Amino acid sequence: MRAASLLTGTALLAATAACGSGAAESAGGTGGAGGGRPEVTAALYPLQWLAERVGGGDVTVIGLAEPGVEPHDLELTPAQVAGLEKTSLVAYVKGVQPAVDEAVEQHAADRGFDAATLVKTLAAEEHAEEGHAEEDHAEEEHGHGASDVSYDPHLWLDPSRFATVATRLGEKLAAADPARAADYRERAAKAAADLTALDGELAQGLADCASRSIVTGHEAFGYLADRYKLKQVGISVDPDAEPSPARLAEVAEIAKREKVTTIFTETLVSPKVAEVLAQEVGATTAVLDPIESRPADGDYLSAMRQNLTTLKKALSCS
Ligand SMILES: [Zn+2]
């Protein structure tokens, strides 16, 4: 379905463009997509999942991110940018995908649904306390997001915050399509309840662990760490940047000091650096999914539960 969703998106855009004169007008309705159904453009997978849950069959959801591609690097095609001109709502997190941030500002400023404005954000992780070389650091900060946001944008990794986003999306869709307002609110409540249940599972599963330090490839897990009282030690801020030897040495030292047994790698980033580090400190590696792209199997909820299983094993939680 995912591989197909881009195709579907393209087809829809083409269809919308084709019926622009005449048919679409008479179909009328809620602004945006032809046929009167609201169209939600979701910039990254977690928001796409949420839009599908909350929208049900009443909205058309178009995903901008390609499955299996690191979303921070997303570039938009001219057709995707044109699509933003007529979509009903663009769900995104400002700071994740610079190309999206810019396109929303230019083409859909009045229809942006920026999840980062809906929850309490955390400050972006800085390595300053570890005495990082300034140039290195500036480069890393620039690489990640590059949208001049001072907060960590990976807020979907805290299900309690994401539940708030679900509720707000329900309200937004209810306002955009009043005829089906009750349905949006009902599905949003169900999604929020699922996220709250997941939050409870994570809190319980990670309550009692031998270790609370997680060494990760890129610093995507700040919200998870904040919510469940773990300590994130990121090898790199930017998923694409090679960490400096100095940073690697720092992380190795922290990992040894904190008796870290597992170095986490990511689904979409080369595990090479993490493997070298693991070898150096005598740890193993395991995959922790930042869910920046659609998981190979399952969905947001199952990927988070898989993360919980991985963390419990790595941190020896009882
Ligand atoms: Zn990221």
Side-chain angles (χ1 to χ4, degrees):
M1 178 174 178
R2 280 327 95 197
S5 89
L6 267 184
L7 272 177
T8 312
T10 313
L12 268 169
L13 285 171
T16 312
C19 66
S21 51
E25 268 86 324
S26 55
T30 356
R37 299 203 311 178
E39 177 192 281
V40 178
T41 300
L44 75 167
Y45 169 71
L47 289 169
Q48 188 176 340
W49 173 80
L50 198 60
E52 284 165 359
R53 283 287 311 261
V54 176
D58 295 329
V59 304
T60 303
V61 179
I62 292 182
L64 293 180
E66 284 182 60
V69 174
E70 229 291 318
H72 295 299
D73 306 330
L74 177 74
E75 292 187 28
L76 298 175
T77 65
Q80 285 177 319
V81 173
L84 294 181
E85 296 280 0
K86 39 187 181 293
T87 200
S88 316
L89 200 66
V90 188
Y92 71 119
V93 183
K94 191 174 180 192
V96 176
Q97 300 143 299
V100 171
D101 299 348
E102 198 188 319
V104 170
E105 204 170 290
Q106 288 175 3
H107 303 278
D110 53 335
R111 283 157 292 129
F113 178 83
D114 175 6
T117 62
L118 308 176
V119 299
K120 188 172 175 290
T121 51
L122 298 172
E125 193 75 36
E126 304 232 5
H127 294 151
E129 80 275 11
E130 281 129 17
H132 221 29
E134 275 94 69
E135 297 108 283
D136 274 12
H137 196 57
E139 214 161 284
E140 283 179 355
E141 290 286 62
H142 183 75
H144 197 196
S147 292
D148 304 321
V149 300
S150 56
Y151 54 84
D152 175 351
H154 303 86
L155 56 93
W156 59 89
L157 292 170
D158 169 5
S160 70
R161 280 177 170 85
F162 209 36
T164 302
V165 178
T167 305
R168 298 293 294 274
L169 183 59
E171 287 163 10
K172 193 84 181 173
L173 289 172
D177 186 11
R180 303 186 191 92
D183 298 328
Y184 295 122
R185 292 207 180 93
E186 192 182 314
R187 284 188 296 259
K190 178 73 175 62
D194 285 354
L195 291 164
T196 302
L198 172 67
D199 177 50
E201 286 172 41
L202 282 152
Q204 194 184 24
L206 299 172
D208 190 9
C209 307
S211 167
R212 306 206 73 82
S213 293
I214 54 170
V215 178
T216 63
H218 97 281
E219 292 185 339
F221 299 92
Y223 289 89
L224 189 102
D226 179 68
R227 179 73 182 161
Y228 308 110
K229 302 184 174 62
L230 304 174
K231 188 179 151 212
Q232 173 177 240
V233 182
I235 298 172
S236 161
V237 177
D238 180 352
D240 299 321
E242 284 274 318
S244 67
R247 178 64 190 161
L248 266 183
E250 280 167 6
V251 175
E253 209 178 290
I254 296 168
K256 282 180 196 157
R257 189 172 70 223
E258 316 235 333
K259 301 188 170 52
V260 164
T261 60
T262 308
I263 307 288
F264 293 109
T265 64
E266 286 177 27
T267 21
L268 301 179
V269 179
S270 161
K272 201 184 73 193
V273 171
E275 278 164 1
V276 170
L277 185 66
Q279 204 162 34
E280 188 184 330
V281 303
T284 55
T285 63
V287 173
L288 203 56
D289 187 353
I291 321 183
E292 294 191 332
S293 181
R294 177 173 288 271
D297 297 306
D299 62 7
Y300 169 87
L301 293 173
S302 62
M304 284 298 277
R305 291 198 169 95
Q306 180 57 51
N307 281 343
L308 172 59
T309 303
T310 305
L311 284 167
K312 284 181 73 172
K313 180 163 180 273
L315 303 177
S316 303
C317 308
S318 58

